Amino acid sequence: MLLEARKLDKSFNGVYALKGLDLSLKEGEIHGLVGENGAGKSTFIKILGGVYTKSSGELIWNGVPFPAEFGPVQSRELGINIIFQDHVLIPAFSALENIWLGRPYPRKNGLIQWKEMEKAALKKATELGICLDLKKSISQMTPAQKKCVEILRAMMSDCKLLILDEPTASLSDKEANLLFSIIKNLKANGTAVLYVTHRLEEIMALTDRVTVLRNGELVSTCDTDSTSQKELVRLMSGNEVENSSEMEIPRANIHSGTPALTISHLSSADHIVKDASITVHTGRITGMFGLCGSGRTEFLECIYGIRRISGGTIEISGKMVKKPSPVDSIKKGIAFICEDRRRKAMIPSFTVEENMNLSSIDHYSKKGIFSMGAAVSAANGMINALKIRCTGTSQPACELSGGNQQKVVFAKALLTSPSIWLCDEPTQAVDVATRQQIHSLLRTQASENKAVLYVSSDLTELLEVADEIAVMASGKIRKIFPNKNLKPADILACCYEAEREEVHEDESI
C-alpha cells in the first residue's frame, strides 16, 4: 500500500467532518472517492495536502507514519500533489512559467536557462501524451489546457500520488476524454490517482476501486467492476434512490406559455456572441447546449448586463431593454445563476445570511433602518426550504460544501422573487441528491409560470430536465429542438454541422 488512513478523525468546533476513516491506496491504481456534498471528501484531501491537521488517527506512507510536523511542503516532499477544481495558476504567466512555479530555476552564470526548462517540460509532456504551446499565456488557454498545465506542474516533481478534485467540471466531453487518456498514462507510469468526482459514469469508466463516504464516515470500498452507479447512489445517500436517468420528468406543453424573454439578433461587443436570437417562454425549461467556446455563457452575460452588447434587442415580457445591467435585471425579475459560484456568485468570507441577502438587501430596510431580524428570518426560511447543511445563518459560506454553497446561491436568487431564470451550469460539481433538488426547484418554478433558460455541458442532464433544447455554435443559435424522442446524436450532429458551416464561411471570406 502506498497510503493508509487508520481511524482518521477531523472535527471543527466539536463537529466531526471525518470520523474513524479507514482508507488505503495502492501504487499505480486509480481510486475513486465519492459521497454527497458534506460527506468529508474535501476534508480528507486537504489533510493529505497538509492544509488541515488531523484531530486523531494515523496516516501511513509506504509503511512509515507521516511526519509529526506536516504541512503543504512536507506533503509535496512525500510526492503528493493536489489539483483542485478551481485552477491555481497565474493568468498573466505563460504555461512554462506556471509549470516551474515553486521550483528552482536552472541557472548558468547567473542567467535563467529557459531553453533547458522548456526542454524538461516538453519531455514530461510527451511522456504523458500532453500537447501544449508552453509559451502561450494561461489567460489565452481553454479550461482543458489549464488542467494539463497543472498536471504537468505536479508531474515535474517525483509525484507518487496525484489527487484530482472534480477535474472535468468545466470540460467538454472531448476535453474530458483527453484528460482520461492522460490519467491512464499516469497509471501506466506507476503514479497512483485519487479521483474525486460527482460524475458516477466517470468513476465506472476510469477507476479500479471506489470508496464511498457518508457524513464523514466510510460506507464501503469495493472494486469498481463489482458495483454499479445505482448501488453507489444507494450507498452515498443511505436510501434506495431512483436513478435520475430512469426518472420520468413531466414535460411542459411547448405550444403553451407566453414570451417572457425575446432576444433578437443579439451581438456582444467582443464578437463572441454573433446575431443570436431566441424566445424563452413562461411555463417551460429551455435548455441550451453548445461545444466549448460556442458562446453560451457570454450569451447569458449579455442578457443579464455583465457583458457589453453591440447590437440586437432584448425584450422582457414585451418591453424593450435598452441597456441591460445587473441591477436593472434584478429589478425586472431576472435571476442569474452563474457558472463560477465562488468568484462571481457569492462572497466566501461573508456569512450564509449575508450571501443570501446580497441581491435583496433593500427588502429589509425601511426609512434607512435595516431590519436584521427580518433578514435572518428570511435566511432561516431558505435554509429549511432548501435543506442547506450549515450550523446557522452566521456560518461563513466558505465553510460549506460545494453543493450547499450552490444552494445558498439559489436562495439568494429566490429571495429576489424572479420570473426569469438564467442558469449557467447550475449543477456543476454537486452530488446526485443536490442535482435532483435543483432540477425539482426549477421544474417547480416553471410550473408556477416562470421561464427558465438552462445552460449545461451535460447532454444527458439537458435531456432529463429541458422541455426544448437550443443549440448554440460560434455565437449563434442554430436550432431549437422540442425534447420529444430527442437523442444526444441529434444535438451533437447539429453542433458539428454548424462548426463546419462556420469554417466554410471563414474560408470563403
Side-chain angles (χ1 to χ4, degrees):
M1 289 296 173
L2 176 69
L3 171 72
E4 292 178 85
R6 300 173 182 171
K7 305 299 179 186
L8 191 66
D9 288 348
K10 177 61 182 176
S11 61
F12 297 94
N13 300 319
V15 178
Y16 279 98
L18 287 175
K19 189 172 183 180
L21 177 63
D22 290 317
L23 189 148
S24 62
L25 281 119
K26 300 175 184 177
E27 290 185 356
E29 79 165 329
I30 303 175
H31 193 114
L33 182 62
V34 299
E36 293 187 354
N37 290 114
K41 305 183 301 296
S42 294
T43 300
F44 179 59
I45 64 178
K46 285 179 179 177
I47 290 174
L48 295 182
V51 178
Y52 292 161
T53 57
K54 59 184 174 64
S55 299
S56 62
E58 285 186 291
L59 284 168
I60 310 296
W61 182 260
N62 273 329
V64 179
F66 272 34
E69 294 293 325
F70 189 76
V73 172
Q74 289 75 25
S75 177
R76 286 193 297 271
E77 287 176 348
L78 285 181
I80 301 172
N81 283 283
I82 303 174
I83 297 178
F84 292 100
Q85 180 185 339
D86 297 320
H87 300 295
V88 185
L89 299 167
I90 300 177
F93 280 20
S94 69
L96 183 64
E97 290 169 322
N98 273 280
I99 288 167
W100 279 84
L101 276 177
R103 294 171 53 81
Y105 286 7
R107 297 174 183 270
K108 188 175 181 180
N109 299 325
L111 299 175
I112 297 173
Q113 300 300 294
W114 290 103
K115 287 187 178 179
E116 184 180 328
M117 291 163 61
E118 184 176 6
K119 184 179 178 181
L122 285 172
K123 181 182 178 184
K124 182 60 69 174
T126 302
E127 288 176 8
L128 298 175
I130 295 174
C131 183
L132 278 178
D133 179 357
L134 298 181
K135 295 178 182 178
K136 194 174 184 179
S137 70
I138 295 299
S139 61
Q140 296 174 311
M141 289 188 161
T142 66
Q145 290 171 331
K146 292 174 184 176
K147 194 68 68 178
C148 287
V149 170
E150 291 187 300
I151 290 174
L152 267 177
R153 183 171 64 191
M155 300 308 298
M156 289 294 287
S157 58
D158 184 19
C159 181
K160 294 182 175 65
L161 170 60
L162 182 64
I163 302 172
L164 296 170
D165 184 16
E166 297 290 351
T168 61
S170 58
L171 305 186
S172 66
D173 289 345
K174 185 177 179 180
E175 291 169 330
N177 287 331
L178 171 63
L179 177 64
F180 296 158
S181 67
I182 293 169
I183 291 171
K184 288 172 183 176
N185 284 338
L186 290 172
K187 176 184 175 180
N189 291 333
T191 301
V193 176
L194 182 62
Y195 195 89
V196 184
T197 185
H198 291 300
R199 297 185 175 183
L200 299 184
E201 65 276 10
E202 295 178 5
I203 291 291
M204 300 305 298
L206 196 63
T207 64
D208 302 305
R209 291 193 298 156
V210 56
T211 290
V212 181
L213 301 184
R214 185 170 71 240
N215 297 328
E217 298 184 55
L218 174 70
V219 177
S220 174
T221 296
C222 61
D223 292 337
T224 307
D225 289 343
S226 66
T227 189
S228 65
Q229 288 191 48
K230 191 170 184 179
E231 175 64 8
L232 290 177
V233 171
R234 187 189 70 79
L235 292 171
M236 287 161 57
S237 64
N239 299 306
E240 290 288 350
V241 178
E242 190 174 12
N243 193 324
S244 61
S245 63
E246 298 172 356
M247 292 178 65
E248 285 293 330
I249 294 180
R251 304 285 174 210
N253 182 354
I254 64 169
H255 299 295
S256 64
T258 58
L261 183 65
T262 304
I263 311 296
S264 302
H265 307 290
L266 190 69
S267 297
S268 60
D270 54 15
H271 308 298
I272 294 175
V273 180
K274 309 168 189 174
D275 195 32
S277 301
I278 192 173
T279 300
V280 183
H281 292 78
T282 59
R284 71 177 82 158
I285 297 176
T286 299
M288 180 175 283
F289 181 80
L291 303 176
C292 189
S294 62
R296 301 165 308 167
T297 295
E298 293 81 2
F299 181 63
L300 297 191
E301 290 176 347
C302 285
I303 297 169
Y304 195 65
I306 297 173
R307 189 172 295 265
R308 193 161 61 90
I309 62 175
S310 60
T313 60
I314 300 173
E315 292 181 30
I316 299 175
S317 300
K319 295 181 180 179
M320 193 76 70
V321 178
K322 292 183 179 178
K323 193 175 181 181
S325 70
V327 172
D328 195 45
S329 292
I330 292 170
K331 290 179 180 177
K332 286 181 166 58
I334 297 180
F336 182 32
I337 308 296
C338 65
E339 183 179 15
D340 190 347
R341 64 172 170 260
R342 293 183 184 178
R343 292 189 178 92
K344 297 180 179 179
M346 61 185 294
I347 302 174
S349 60
F350 277 23
T351 67
V352 169
E353 177 271 317
E354 289 167 337
N355 271 288
M356 285 185 181
N357 291 311
L358 277 173
S359 299
S360 56
I361 194 167
D362 291 346
H363 296 183
Y364 314 107
S365 297
K366 191 173 182 180
K367 296 181 180 180
I369 299 174
F370 181 72
S371 174
M372 177 59 75
V376 170
S377 177
N380 273 319
M382 283 294 148
I383 289 171
N384 293 328
L386 299 182
K387 299 178 182 177
I388 300 172
R389 290 185 183 179
C390 60
T391 58
T393 58
S394 60
Q395 184 177 11
C398 59
E399 294 181 0
L400 271 57
S401 67
N404 285 299
Q405 287 180 357
Q406 189 72 334
K407 289 182 184 180
V408 169
V409 172
F410 269 92
K412 181 182 70 171
L414 284 166
L415 287 171
T416 65
S417 302
S419 57
I420 298 171
W421 290 80
L422 305 178
C423 300
D424 190 9
E425 306 283 6
T427 61
Q428 180 175 280
V430 303
D431 62 67
V432 174
T434 302
R435 171 172 154 154
Q436 290 182 2
Q437 275 185 272
I438 290 171
H439 288 178
S440 177
L441 184 156
L442 292 173
R443 176 54 66 194
T444 300
Q445 290 291 299
S447 70
E448 294 174 356
N449 222 30
K450 311 290 177 64
V452 180
L453 182 55
Y454 193 110
V455 168
S456 177
S457 299
D458 188 337
L459 251 181
T460 303
E461 177 182 25
L462 283 181
L463 290 169
E464 288 173 8
V465 74
D467 301 306
E468 58 187 358
I469 298 177
V471 175
M472 192 163 197
S474 301
K476 302 175 185 177
I477 308 292
R478 301 296 177 153
K479 191 172 182 178
I480 299 176
F481 294 88
N483 190 6
K484 187 176 182 180
N485 301 320
L486 190 59
K487 301 291 188 293
D490 301 328
I491 305 292
L492 291 171
C494 183
C495 290
Y496 293 128
E497 181 61 30
E499 283 199 340
R500 283 194 294 269
E501 289 175 3
E502 192 72 18
V503 170
H504 291 153
E505 287 175 14
D506 292 343
E507 287 176 348
S508 63
I509 292 171

